[in-house]
Amino acid sequence: MYNQLQETEEIAKSASARANYNEQYSRKNNIKLHGIPENKGEQLLEVVNEILTEVGVAIEENEVMAIHRIPGQKDRPRPILVKLRNNEAKSKVMRKRTAIKSLSTNGNTGVKITDDVTRQNTELISRLLMDERITAAWYFNGSIYGQNGGRRIKFDIYDDIEKKTRKR
């Protein structure tokens, strides 16, 4: 019975990890813009391009598959989710991430752009950052990485941080 329970647990973890991977893969070309004030009847592509042109980049209409506001934190403007057609379009925008962060929009500072990361991957990054062995954690190209000393380590949602950070 115990062996069967362990086997079932491993199958469930594997299925959950694959589902997380597939969900993250489906978000691969998505970006989120935070801190952009909301206006009734706004044309989101125009709003986004207004900010992007200030840093020397723009998104063409044919590069956008979908663009809309998503639920966010109370008392803050809802983030804008942009689903782009390909990674090339996303990369040209993400390269301007630092410049975008330094912008001020309509008197409001704090505009930022982020990758669209799954909840499980966001939680993994948080766990890694709380661990004293990890000096930095980030998302890149569908995966989560952590810095341990001079080593960059790729993590998955069910990895044991202790085992992965041991010197080999």
Side-chain angles (χ1 to χ4, degrees):
M1 189 79 126
Y2 177 75
N3 289 342
Q4 200 171 22
L5 180 63
Q6 276 188 312
E7 186 179 322
T8 303
E9 185 178 328
E10 285 301 314
I11 291 169
K13 279 184 177 180
S14 175
S16 177
R18 283 194 311 266
N20 181 61
Y21 173 83
N22 288 337
E23 182 181 353
Q24 189 62 67
Y25 185 82
S26 73
R27 298 176 180 207
K28 181 172 127 176
N29 297 325
N30 295 1
I31 57 174
K32 285 186 194 176
L33 289 103
H34 306 266
I36 300 172
E38 291 188 54
N39 295 311
K40 194 168 185 88
E42 63 192 355
Q43 296 296 314
L44 288 176
L45 185 56
E46 290 174 17
V47 171
V48 169
N49 273 332
E50 187 177 308
I51 292 163
L52 294 178
T53 52
E54 288 186 49
V55 295
V57 70
I59 301 172
E60 299 297 324
E61 192 171 343
N62 66 350
E63 293 177 311
V64 176
M65 293 178 68
I67 183 169
H68 56 273
R69 293 226 182 232
I70 58 175
Q73 295 178 341
K74 226 177 194 178
D75 302 328
R76 291 192 182 173
R78 294 177 298 154
I80 298 172
L81 179 68
V82 184
K83 184 173 185 75
L84 297 165
R85 192 159 300 284
N86 58 43
N87 202 265
E88 185 179 319
K90 178 182 177 182
S91 293
K92 81 177 181 183
V93 173
M94 294 304 280
R95 279 188 223 111
K96 302 292 185 174
R97 185 173 22 205
T98 305
I100 291 168
K101 193 173 182 178
S102 66
L103 288 179
S104 113
T105 306
N106 298 335
N108 296 312
T109 55
V111 174
K112 71 177 188 176
I113 187 168
T114 61
D115 288 294
D116 185 17
V117 181
T118 65
R119 174 171 279 147
Q120 287 178 310
N121 283 341
T122 301
E123 290 168 358
L124 173 57
I125 290 171
S126 294
R127 281 197 322 271
L128 290 171
L129 291 172
M130 288 189 299
D131 192 296
E132 72 267 356
R133 294 174 295 249
I134 305 295
T135 55
W138 64 93
Y139 166 85
F140 178 72
N141 203 22
S143 299
I144 304 301
Y145 295 89
Q147 185 83 29
N148 172 257
R151 295 173 39 209
R152 289 184 182 154
I153 305 168
K154 184 176 177 181
F155 287 91
D156 199 5
I157 57 174
Y158 291 110
D159 284 345
D160 182 338
I161 297 170
E162 168 77 29
K163 284 182 183 176
K164 290 278 268 215
T165 55
R166 283 192 198 128
K167 299 258 186 218
R168 292 180 184 184

